[in-house]
Amino acid sequence: MRLEKQADLTALNTFGVPARAELLARFSSVDELRELLAAPELHERPQLVLGGGSNVLFTHDQVGVVLLNEIPGIFVEREAEDHVWVKAGAGVVWHDLVMHAVGKGWGGIENLSLIPGKVGAAPMQNIGAYGAELKDSFHELEALRLSDGERLTFSASACAFGYRESFFKREGRDRFVILGVTLRLDRHPRVHTTYGAIREVLAQRGITDPTIRDVSDAVVSIRRSKLPDPTVLGNAGSFFKNPVVSRQQADAIRRDHPTMVAYPTPDGRVKLAAGWMIEAAGWKGSRQGPCGVHKDQALVLVNHGGATGTMIYDLSEQVLRSVQERFGVTLEREVNIL
Ligand code: FAD
Ligand code: EPU
């Protein structure tokens, strides 16, 4: 059993903020996880599962045990004429799974290229980008229930996926360890290029009949140009969700702010661009000591070096209040505050 006491979590979160875990345990199989959970040192202690640490903000030291998920493996579960069912261990790096699928010519997750983190966390907030979400390719997942060690299978409907939401982010929070995820991928893929920026990059490259690799490459280049690399500048991607409001509320805000960026959603409501609102409220590129709001993407809070989780949280609170005062909209944090 690999157990570390008073472990430093600084390098295990992409914000790069300091925090300690009372105990840190790594596991790379279900049996190892079960053994850990049965160990007297860990029994009855609060447990937190961590993947790549790219969607968390540590605001204090973690009491209990941080379980670092390293379950490997990508394998085909089933094949049919049109689809392939691929299972990946929760510890697989998400982008490695995307590259594996793209390499095999299996479509469905290429628009989700380069999202940091591990496979096991992908269902947690139903990761999404550039016109696709995990739920579009999701088949089922396997999870271990912490209360009794039972292994359970969750279908897409049991996961209750929504925009940056799932059962695991709400009622299921801290109750399950996701062990593996099965995706249903297309063997004869159709590319999804509805997102304007993808079309622009493909046009610049003179590509008229794009493959999934072309789409993946385009997404990678868009992401590299827009989002800060956490190995250079600490961040956790979008700090807040884009708020979804009624059409009436969106119309009312637009009367005072005609340039506001907003998109209709399939259910008749309107998604407002939080990045636009934060920029309009004057925060873009601002600094508060060692932390700040990114200069190119106002939805991303950054650690310029030496920030603590509390400093970043305090900044997020000020941003939230100022958007509330200016637009009457309450932003919700996407990042998991721990
Ligand atoms: P962690 O940060 O380790 O964990 C996140 C949460 O999931 C925690 O609450 C944790 O307890 C829980 N968890 C982790 N693993 C498990 C498990 N096996 N079982 C149960 N619970 C678990 N997200 C998007 O959706 N779209 C984007 O475009 C996007 N872009 C990003 C860009 C950058 C630069 C960064 C830094 C982040 C971005 N993110 C994006 C956020 C992040 O990459 C995703 O949320 C990712 O899925 C987090 O994976 P992780 O392994 O790092 O999770
Ligand atoms: N905008 C501004 N100012 C800014 C930032 C954005 O005006 O500082 C405007 C842009 O001009 C654009 C609109 O807001 O018109 C949307 O911006 P962008 O395309 O960059 O996307 P986003 O809404 O900021 C979302 C996701 C990202 C995902 C991208 C691409 C959320 C919370 N964020 O960002 O996901 O990669 O779309 O699909 O939904 C994440 O979840 O961590 C994440 C990075």
Side-chain angles (χ1 to χ4, degrees), residues 197-214:
I198 298 182
R199 283 205 305 272
E200 279 164 32
V201 172
L202 293 172
Q204 279 160 19
R205 295 178 178 183
I207 298 168
T208 50
D209 188 14
T211 62
I212 55 171
R213 183 170 295 282
D214 294 327

Side-chain angles (χ1 to χ4, degrees), residues 125 128-130 163-164 195 223 226-227 236-238 240-242 261 263 273 275-276 279 284 296-299 334:
Q125 69 159 11
Y130 302 100
Y163 163 60
R164 299 294 191 274
Y195 207 93
R223 295 185 69 94
K226 278 195 168 192
L227 290 161
S238 302
F240 301 99
K241 294 184 192 181
N242 286 320
V261 180
Y263 317 90
W276 182 90
E279 179 174 351
K284 193 170 181 170
D296 300 326
Q297 226 306 355
L299 202 43
E334 178 195 295

Side-chain angles (χ1 to χ4, degrees), residues 64-84:
V65 56
V66 171
L67 297 165
L68 207 56
N69 163 36
E70 296 179 343
I71 298 177
I74 300 177
F75 58 91
V76 172
E77 269 195 337
R78 186 149 58 100
E79 274 188 89
E81 169 59 26
D82 293 334
H83 294 106
V84 55

Side-chain angles (χ1 to χ4, degrees), residues 78-295:
R78 186 149 58 100
E79 274 188 89
E81 169 59 26
D82 293 334
H83 294 106
V84 55
W85 285 259
V86 181
K87 184 166 185 179
V92 170
V93 170
W94 171 260
H95 185 64
D96 291 351
L97 175 61
V98 176
M99 287 297 94
H100 183 86
V102 169
K104 295 279 188 187
W106 301 331
I109 51 174
E110 59 280 359
N111 294 50
L112 305 178
S113 296
L114 213 63
I115 296 182
K118 297 195 173 170
V119 166
M124 177 79 182
Q125 69 159 11
N126 177 30
I127 53 169
Y130 302 100
E133 285 184 327
L134 177 78
K135 72 171 171 53
D136 306 331
S137 308
F138 181 90
H139 176 59
E140 63 183 27
L141 66 76
E142 199 191 0
L144 182 136
R145 188 161 54 201
L146 284 164
S147 58
D148 58 3
E150 192 76 26
R151 264 166 104 155
L152 303 171
T153 300
F154 287 76
S155 65
S157 68
C159 291
F161 292 126
Y163 163 60
R164 299 294 191 274
E165 272 300 342
S166 76
F167 165 80
F168 297 97
K169 202 166 176 179
R170 297 188 303 268
E171 306 91 309
R173 182 182 277 279
D174 299 332
R175 289 174 48 209
F176 297 89
V177 180
I178 295 171
L179 304 169
V181 177
T182 306
L183 303 177
R184 192 187 77 151
L185 300 175
D186 295 328
R187 299 183 71 184
H188 311 290
R190 278 184 306 117
V191 294
H192 298 279
T193 56
T194 46
Y195 207 93
I198 298 182
R199 283 205 305 272
E200 279 164 32
V201 172
L202 293 172
Q204 279 160 19
R205 295 178 178 183
I207 298 168
T208 50
D209 188 14
T211 62
I212 55 171
R213 183 170 295 282
D214 294 327
V215 172
S216 170
D217 289 347
V219 167
V220 166
S221 85
I222 297 163
R223 295 185 69 94
R224 288 207 169 116
S225 71
K226 278 195 168 192
L227 290 161
D229 175 353
T231 61
V232 178
L233 188 60
N235 77 91
S238 302
F239 198 89
F240 301 99
K241 294 184 192 181
N242 286 320
V244 180
V245 302
S246 68
R247 178 164 295 284
Q248 291 85 328
Q249 190 178 0
D251 288 345
I253 301 171
R254 205 179 276 114
R255 274 195 288 278
D256 293 335
H257 307 279
T259 57
M260 179 180 67
V261 180
Y263 317 90
T265 62
D267 64 3
R269 295 189 297 159
V270 179
K271 193 186 261 188
L272 310 178
W276 182 90
M277 293 195 284
I278 297 168
E279 179 174 351
W283 288 97
K284 193 170 181 170
S286 68
R287 268 183 90 139
Q288 214 167 75
C291 54
V293 177
H294 191 245
K295 64 178 179 32

